[in-house]
Structures are given as structure tokens and as C-alpha cells.
């Protein structure tokens, strides 16, 4: 069995574009611990108690900044912005201007462009070893987006084994934004095989079907009698190879589910029988993007194990993909004087 520990701080002491990077750790009274870094305002590790009384690291990642810089997969644990998920052809209109973004995913702009927010060193402030605030000011025109955007992301570890992530942003000109966290979880422990045996539940009746470029076609559709129905918990394995164009286009699950739940009710959960760990996700965001790590390919992670296809899954709470090009989707426009705020809560517990 792998013994999981938090990475050591030295691996995270680095300089990127004249800014120092760090590792920050938070611990709670229940024995849980998380590690964060200001490089991408990301979650590096989450050591969670399992049913055998061991602490296991359920978040995929690396033990050094170098690891993150070299990884094929750029988004491990990161705060993704300005616009997470895809914008078709990297183009959108806002107030009669057309904006063009970098294309970094075929014909699409994915996760805010080439550098996005995930490759920036954020400023940080640690309060009472319980809470970390990260700050980043994105200049007007960065990656093609209008307006100077002041963004903050805070991570709190509660004594109830919850990681609470709060996003806040303001702008000096009309703009669009969509912020999420991109942690890959494996509730058997990072690097410990794939997640196909995890039981997933998603409390949503509708999802957004996509085209072959992974852009929503238009209207939400019912998940009833499709491989996308997770209202009753089922393993990822159960239907992932079903004959379905939707699964083919994305190489697995990589789809947006509509969230009609209040933040007090979990929109989704994942459970591993092996570890007994249950992860529940609560959010104020109108959707959750369920991604089964279909494109993970051979990075060597913290445990020295390879992260292969399906080696982790993401529950990315966010607005709908390509919203700027779909006026009928919930608005992603932020104007001067407005404050964008959203919240994601990952709650861990043991179910025997
Ligand atoms: C997207 C995937 C993409 C991955 C990259 C996910 O949020 O939905 O399609 O390959 O991020 O890390």
C-alpha cells in the first residue's frame, strides 16, 4: 500500500515570471489536511481519512512545481479561468464587439486560453491556518478577454472535512467569466488505478448534449434512459462503453449537468467501496461538468504512479460551456459595479 503524505515545501519553492511560488498546508481537528500552491491557485493534495483509519491522498498532482510545469495535463487542481470549459471557435460577441481568443483545443478556446489562470502565480494570504486567499488581477485584453478582472479564490478546510472554495471577481469593463476548480479525484488514492469502480450519483434530470467538437448543440436534454442517468448511484464503468455518440465524441463522460439543487443539497457524489470515502459536492453554480479523465495520458504523479486514462474524475461546478454564444443559457456577463461570487464545497466522509 502507498503511504500518503503531504508534499514537502521545498519542491514548491520556485520562481515563475519573477514571482515566488509556495506550498501552503491547512490541517483540521479531524486529522484531514490539504496542500495548496499559489501557482494556478491550485489544490495539490487532500489527505482524507479512509475506513481503515489511514489518511489517503485523493487528489491527483505532483510533488513539485517542476512536475506541474512539465505535466501533459495542465489543469490538475487548478483554478480555471477566465472562462473554464470551451468557447466555440474562440469567438464571442459582447455589446456589439467581437472578441477573438486563442485556440488551444482544436477549433475551441479551452479553459481561458494558453496561460489562462492555471499558469499564473497568484498572490496569497493565509489566515489562522484555516483559510487561504489567492488574488490575481488579469489585465484588460489578457488572452483576448475584455476588462481588467480582479479575481480572488479562497480555500477553507473546515472541521467537518469540507473544502470550501469561494470565487469573487469584479471588472472595469463588460466581460464574460466562468470560474471553476479542476481537481482530479481518485477516492482509492491518487495513482491507485482508475476510477471506473467509483459509484457516482448526479442529482440532475438534464444534461447538455455536445457536437463532435465538444460544444453544446443547444437545448438541454433529458438523461432518462441514457447512459447519462446517474440519479441512482452507479459505477462509472457501468455505461461508459455504451453505444452512444455522446460518449464517443468525448471519449467517455465529459458533459455538463444542469444543477437545480439549492446549495444545501449535494448536486453530485462519488463513493469508493475500497476506501469507504464519500465525496459530496455542493455549489451555487448552475451546472456541474462531470469529466472522467478521458484524456489523461501518462504523467507520473506524486506517488510515482502513472496517471492514465480514467485515473481520476472531476466534478467541475461552473456555468454552461460556450455560454457567451448561447443567449438562452444563464448569463456569464459581468459588468462594472457588479460582484461575481460563487462557491464550491467538497465534503468528505466515511460510509462503511
Ligand atoms: C474538459 C476536458 C478536457 C480537460 C482538460 C475538462 O474540463 O471538459 O474535455 O480535456 O478538462 O483537462
Amino acid at each position: 500500500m502507498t503511504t500518503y503524505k503531504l508534499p514537502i515545501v521545498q519542491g514548491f519553492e520556485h520562481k515563475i515570471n519573477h514571482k515566488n511560488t509556495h506550498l501552503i498546508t491547512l490541517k483540521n481537528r479531524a486529522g484531514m489536511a490539504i496542500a495548496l500552491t499559489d501557482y494556478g491557485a491550485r489544490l495539490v493534495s487532500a489527505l482524507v481519512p479512509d475506513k481503515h483509519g489511514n489518511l489517503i491522498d485523493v487528489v491527483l498532482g505532483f510533488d513539485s512545481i517542476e512536475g506541474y510545469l512539465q505535466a501533459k495535463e495542465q489543469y490538475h487542481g487548478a483554478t480555471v479561468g477566465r472562462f473554464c470549459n470551451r468557447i466555440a471557435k474562440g469567438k464571442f460577441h459582447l455589446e456589439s464587439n467581437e472578441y477573438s481568443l486563442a485556440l488551444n483545443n482544436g477549433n475551441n478556446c479551452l479553459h481561458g486560453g494558453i496561460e489562462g489562470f492555471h499558469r499564473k502565480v497568484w498572490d496569497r494570504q493565509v489566515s489562522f491556518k484555516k483559510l487561504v486567499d489567492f488574488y490575481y488581477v488579469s489585465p484588460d485584453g489578457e488572452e483576448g478577454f475584455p476588462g481588467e478582472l480582479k479575481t480572488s479564490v479562497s480555500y477553507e478546510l473546515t472541521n467537518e472535512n469540507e473544502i470550501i472554495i469561494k470565487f469573487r471577481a469584479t471588472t472595469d469593463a463588460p466581460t464574460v467569466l466562468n470560474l471553476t476548480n479542476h481537481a482530479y479525484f481518485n477516492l482509492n488514492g491518487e495513482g491507485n488505478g482508475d476510477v471506473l469502480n467509483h459509484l457516482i450519483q448526479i442529482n440532475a434530470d438534464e444534461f447538455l448534449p455536445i457536437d463532435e467538437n465538444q460544444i453544446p448543440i443547444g437545448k438541454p436534454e433529458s438523461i432518462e434512459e441514457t447512459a447519462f442517468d446517474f440519479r441512482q448511484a452507479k459505477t462509472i464503468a457501468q455505461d461508459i462503453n455504451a453505444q452512444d455518440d455522446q460518449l464517443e465524441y468525448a471519449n467517455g463522460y465529459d458533459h455538463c449537468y444542469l444543477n437545480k439543487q439549492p446549495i444545501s443539497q449535494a448536486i453530485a457524489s462519488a463513493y469508493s467501496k475500497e476506501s469507504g470515502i464519500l465525496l459530496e459536492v455542493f455549489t451555487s453554480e448552475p451546472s456541474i461538468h462531470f469529466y472522467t479523465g478521458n484524456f489523461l495520458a501518462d504523467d507520473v504523479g506524486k506517488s510515482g504512479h502513472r496517471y492514465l486514462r480514467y485515473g481520476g474524475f472531476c466534478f467541475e461546478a461552473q456555468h454552461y460551456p460556450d455560454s457567451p454564444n448561447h443567449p438562452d443559457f444563464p448569463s456569464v456577463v459581468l459588468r462594472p459595479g457588479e460582484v461575481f461570487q460563487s462557491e464550491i464545497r467538497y465534503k468528505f466522509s466515511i460510509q462503511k
Side-chain angles (χ1 to χ4, degrees), residues 29 53 94 114 146 183-184 202 206 229 238-239 246 248 267 286 293 309 336:
R29 275 195 241 124
L94 181 61
I114 294 161
Y184 283 90
I202 304 177
E206 291 175 301
D229 190 348
Q238 186 171 313
D239 291 327
Q246 288 298 311
E248 260 167 54
I267 171 66
R309 187 177 181 199

Side-chain angles (χ1 to χ4, degrees), residues 48-341:
V48 178
D50 73 1
K51 66 178 180 187
H52 307 293
N54 301 314
L55 280 179
I56 68 172
D57 189 351
V58 296
V59 172
L60 277 61
F62 304 92
D63 15 355
S64 66
I65 292 291
E66 205 53 51
Y68 284 93
L69 290 172
Q70 285 181 10
K72 295 192 192 92
E73 167 55 41
Q74 288 288 303
Y75 306 102
H76 279 289
T79 295
V80 180
R82 291 188 187 192
F83 203 98
C84 64
N85 220 308
R86 293 176 172 80
I87 296 184
K89 303 192 174 71
K91 288 210 186 310
F92 66 96
H93 285 89
L94 181 61
E95 312 213 320
S96 66
N97 296 314
E98 188 186 60
Y99 295 96
S100 294
L101 313 168
L103 304 182
N104 58 347
N105 174 252
N107 240 351
N108 306 318
C109 178
L110 176 68
H111 292 336
I114 294 161
E115 297 269 313
F117 282 0
H118 58 286
R119 288 166 84 163
K120 296 288 173 357
V121 181
W122 295 54
D123 294 325
R124 74 195 194 290
Q125 189 181 330
V126 185
S127 315
F128 308 112
K129 297 200 168 175
K130 260 195 75 179
L131 185 78
V132 183
D133 286 297
F134 293 107
Y135 303 94
Y136 178 65
V137 179
S138 174
D140 179 29
E142 189 170 56
E143 301 279 13
F145 290 97
E148 180 187 87
L149 192 75
K150 292 197 169 114
T151 316
S152 71
V153 182
S154 71
Y155 287 84
E156 179 185 354
L157 175 62
T158 71
N159 286 324
E160 287 71 47
N161 287 356
E162 290 170 306
I163 303 171
I164 302 181
I165 307 175
K166 288 184 182 159
F167 302 89
R168 192 176 187 280
T170 55
T171 182
D172 67 358
T175 193
V176 295
L177 87 162
N178 195 6
L179 302 172
T180 194
N181 176 271
H182 206 292
Y184 283 90
F185 296 102
N186 182 333
L187 302 180
N188 298 325
E190 56 82 27
N192 187 5
D194 63 46
V195 292
L196 292 173
N197 61 359
H198 285 41
L199 280 163
I200 302 293
Q201 192 182 5
I202 304 177
N203 297 316
D205 301 330
E206 291 175 301
F207 80 123
L208 289 177
I210 51 173
D211 65 16
E212 59 278 16
N213 297 314
Q214 292 191 257
I215 297 293
I217 305 165
K219 301 243 169 299
E221 277 180 20
S222 167
I223 44 72
E224 211 155 330
E225 289 175 28
T226 74
F228 291 85
D229 190 348
F230 282 95
R231 288 171 302 179
Q232 300 292 323
K234 68 178 180 191
T235 61
I236 297 175
Q238 186 171 313
D239 291 327
I240 198 167
N241 293 317
Q243 278 298 319
D244 188 322
D245 287 351
Q246 288 298 311
L247 291 166
E248 260 167 54
Y249 295 157
N251 241 327
Y253 294 102
D254 192 356
H255 291 79
C256 172
Y257 284 82
L258 275 56
N259 178 19
K260 303 270 167 69
Q261 308 280 357
I263 190 167
S264 55
Q265 309 272 315
I267 171 66
S269 68
Y271 173 69
S272 153
K273 267 193 194 154
E274 207 174 301
S275 65
I277 296 174
L278 173 72
L279 163 63
E280 293 166 285
V281 185
F282 304 80
T283 186
S284 57
E285 286 292 275
S287 71
I288 191 149
H289 193 90
F290 176 49
Y291 173 52
T292 44
N294 315 328
F295 304 109
L296 285 177
D298 220 6
D299 284 319
V300 178
K302 285 176 276 192
S303 54
H305 295 136
R306 291 184 186 282
Y307 295 155
L308 301 172
R309 187 177 181 199
Y310 308 143
F313 69 90
C314 305
F315 280 144
E316 302 162 48
Q318 58 188 247
H319 275 62
Y320 307 174
D322 198 29
S323 288
N325 294 311
H326 294 263
D328 48 332
F329 287 179
S331 174
V332 287
V333 176
L334 184 71
R335 295 197 159 79
E338 296 174 346
V339 180
F340 171 82
Q341 280 177 294

